[in-house]
Amino acid sequence: MTRHRILDAHQHFWRIGGPGQSWPDARNILIHRDFMPADLRAVTEGIDLVGSILVQSQPDDRDTDWLLRLALDDPSILAVVGWVALDIPQAPARIAALAARPKCAGLRPMLQGIADSDWILRPDVAPAIEAMLIHGLRFDALIQPRHLPALARFAARWPDLPIVIDHGAKPDAAHAIFDPWRDHMAALAEHPGIWCKLSGLRTEQAGGQGVDLLAPYVDHILTCFGDRVMWGSDWPVLLESGEGYGDWVDAALRLTGALDAVGRTRLFEGAARAFYGLIS
């Protein structure tokens, strides 16, 4: 396995039956078990992992509280991206309370699971976004290509909010569809406050498809966002692709082989530090 210093910008922990846990369920055979810090240490043995960003996987306050408690006892968890119901009147107060807790760096509404692609533009969400700005939190956008036009309007409305697109906006890699994802991503990259995670692409492919088929998507993301791209594993969701942590590390290194040493360091560590405000 190729060794390279890595800050994982996107990984998850959960306990089946734990606080607020509703997904995965028994239908997700490969990941329907507990995943905890010891499991991550085991699968990254031999990888120079300097830390990770722990991202919520459950739309539940109890899960976010648990993640923040977990992070207190684990120095390898550099920051936590939690969840808040952004459309309720209590959201600003909840955001203020979370922002005061150690390692809380951002929030992620689970937009991919909301049928209304324009939900983030609703007036009742605005007070929560204002609270995020006041308290210096980042916005992780868990979206699909259908959300990209709305995200552009959202970013224009809140130009000072740091936004990162999770998983490259989940393009339809299984069917090699590029448009209109390609143009929408290029337009979003014109906003200096929008970043992108090179993560989650492997599980957008169909079973048996080779990782090298992702090259056009990876190339476009790097071309558009440049030094605002950060690498993430999306582990343990990654396991649903049939491959492991080290497989995605090696594939990403190969797919980004045109980067020079400075660019590779930025991708695998520096961009995440810059976006989430972490000290080197």
Side-chain angles (χ1 to χ4, degrees):
M1 180 182 298
T2 304
R3 288 185 61 84
H4 196 280
R5 184 177 166 95
I6 289 173
L7 194 170
D8 188 342
H10 198 104
Q11 57 87 201
H12 308 285
F13 294 132
W14 57 70
R15 290 184 300 175
I16 302 302
Q21 189 272 331
S22 58
W23 181 91
D25 59 29
R27 292 169 293 183
N28 304 100
I29 297 172
L30 295 174
I31 58 173
H32 187 243
R33 64 175 180 84
D34 295 354
F35 287 95
M36 298 290 287
D39 299 295
L40 181 60
R41 287 191 290 271
V43 300
T44 57
E45 186 175 351
I47 296 172
D48 189 6
L49 185 68
V50 300
S52 70
I53 308 300
L54 176 58
V55 180
Q56 63 79 226
S57 59
Q58 317 295 325
D60 194 292
D61 290 330
R62 293 169 295 172
D63 175 67
T64 294
D65 289 335
W66 175 69
L67 295 178
L68 288 167
R69 290 194 300 270
L70 195 65
L72 280 178
D73 298 324
D74 192 332
S76 70
I77 301 172
L78 304 181
V80 173
V81 176
W83 177 90
V84 168
L86 299 181
D87 58 348
I88 63 173
Q90 299 81 8
R94 171 66 172 168
I95 290 167
L98 287 177
R101 297 178 65 174
K103 297 189 179 181
C104 184
L107 298 175
R108 184 173 85 146
M110 303 190 79
L111 301 179
Q112 71 170 9
I114 298 174
D116 180 4
S117 298
D118 294 335
W119 180 89
I120 196 60
L121 300 173
R122 286 171 37 162
D124 55 356
V125 174
I129 304 304
E130 291 173 352
M132 289 183 68
L133 283 166
I134 290 169
H135 296 289
L137 296 181
R138 286 79 173 162
F139 185 96
D140 265 61
L142 176 60
I143 59 173
Q144 298 163 328
R146 65 185 173 93
H147 299 97
L148 292 172
L151 187 64
R153 293 165 59 195
F154 178 75
R157 184 175 297 179
W158 306 101
D160 296 326
L161 180 69
I163 298 169
V164 61
I165 299 171
D166 290 350
H167 314 323
K170 295 194 166 189
D172 188 355
H175 300 99
I177 294 175
F178 295 94
D179 299 315
W181 171 86
R182 178 166 22 204
D183 289 343
H184 287 321
M185 290 291 280
L188 281 169
E190 295 296 317
H191 294 259
I194 301 183
W195 300 53
C196 189
K197 290 185 182 179
L198 189 62
S199 60
L201 297 177
R202 197 71 176 106
T203 46
E204 295 305 308
Q205 292 186 282
Q209 288 184 322
V211 69
D212 290 335
L213 295 175
L214 293 174
Y217 298 100
V218 172
D219 291 346
H220 189 62
I221 289 169
L222 289 174
T223 297
C224 290
F225 291 91
D227 64 2
R228 288 176 286 143
V229 182
M230 62 194 79
W231 180 88
S233 68
D234 198 28
W235 180 91
V237 181
L238 170 70
L239 300 178
E240 292 205 299
S241 72
E243 295 191 349
Y245 197 105
D247 297 319
W248 176 233
V249 171
D250 287 342
L253 286 166
R254 186 172 69 254
L255 288 166
T256 60
L259 293 176
D260 61 16
V262 172
R264 185 158 290 191
T265 297
R266 178 74 176 184
L267 172 67
F268 284 97
E269 182 178 3
R273 288 195 184 277
F275 181 78
Y276 287 107
L278 305 174
I279 299 173
S280 299

